[in-house]
Amino acid sequence: MESGSSRDGTGTDERVTVVTFDLEEKRYCVRAESVVSVLGVAGDASFGDATDPWDAGTTTVAGERVRVVDLPRAFGTSFRTATRVDDPRLLVFSATDDDGRHYGWLVDDVDVTRPVRTASLEPLNANTTHVKGRLEIGDEAVVWLDERAIHG
């Protein structure tokens, strides 16, 4: 590990692995170590009909309850139900809420994991608590989401 200052507040230039995913036409990522599984979602209409995309309902995965955050609606261009992709994915996180439910994010598609350096993280020009920053992975701009802030 190299020493130095990083833009994510850790004070070091860490090499971490992120998992990338799509919402509408934008690419996002989170630390891969915080995700315990990626699942296909059949019949996601009940999540899209929920009044609050930040708490779009629950589902059960391998006997564990998962609280679903409908990210296409929460981060999309409008608060209404977005046009869904045919095969959405659910990122299931190791973190749980006060009721013991895991957090799950409904996303359009999930790509591969990628190693990145935290020092390459650049701040966004927007005021948001849900984003750690922006970085380039290959030739793509990727927004790094702060799962802890999203989970509350």
Side-chain angles (χ1 to χ4, degrees):
M1 182 176 353
E2 297 175 21
S3 62
S5 177
S6 76
R7 293 182 178 102
D8 76 341
T10 63
T12 62
D13 179 16
E14 292 182 83
R15 185 175 175 102
V16 298
T17 302
V18 296
V19 60
T20 58
F21 58 93
D22 297 328
L23 294 175
E24 293 184 343
E25 308 237 344
K26 293 184 182 174
R27 178 77 59 156
Y28 295 85
C29 72
V30 293
R31 282 185 184 254
E33 68 186 23
S34 64
V35 177
V36 293
S37 63
V38 177
L39 307 167
V41 177
D44 67 329
S46 62
F47 302 131
D49 292 339
T51 57
D52 182 1
W54 295 99
D55 190 3
T58 60
T59 189
T60 303
V61 176
E64 297 286 335
R65 291 179 24 203
V66 178
R67 175 183 171 190
V68 177
V69 177
D70 188 350
L71 281 191
R73 286 182 49 218
F75 282 20
T77 54
S78 71
F79 195 69
R80 63 181 166 70
T81 302
T83 302
R84 297 287 185 186
V85 296
D86 290 337
D87 298 311
R89 300 288 182 244
L90 185 67
L91 293 174
V92 180
F93 290 84
S94 58
T96 59
D97 66 11
D98 292 339
D99 295 327
R101 297 177 297 182
H102 289 268
Y103 288 96
W105 295 356
L106 193 61
V107 300
D108 293 343
D109 192 27
V110 177
D111 199 11
V112 298
T113 58
R114 308 273 177 105
V116 297
R117 292 213 173 272
T118 56
S120 65
L121 195 60
E122 300 173 0
L124 286 182
N125 293 332
N127 186 14
T128 177
T129 59
H130 300 109
V131 175
K132 286 187 176 190
R134 176 190 172 284
L135 51 91
E136 295 285 327
I137 299 178
D139 60 353
E140 285 187 295
V142 179
V143 175
W144 190 336
L145 296 180
D146 184 345
E147 70 274 2
R148 289 182 220 155
I150 290 174
H151 299 159

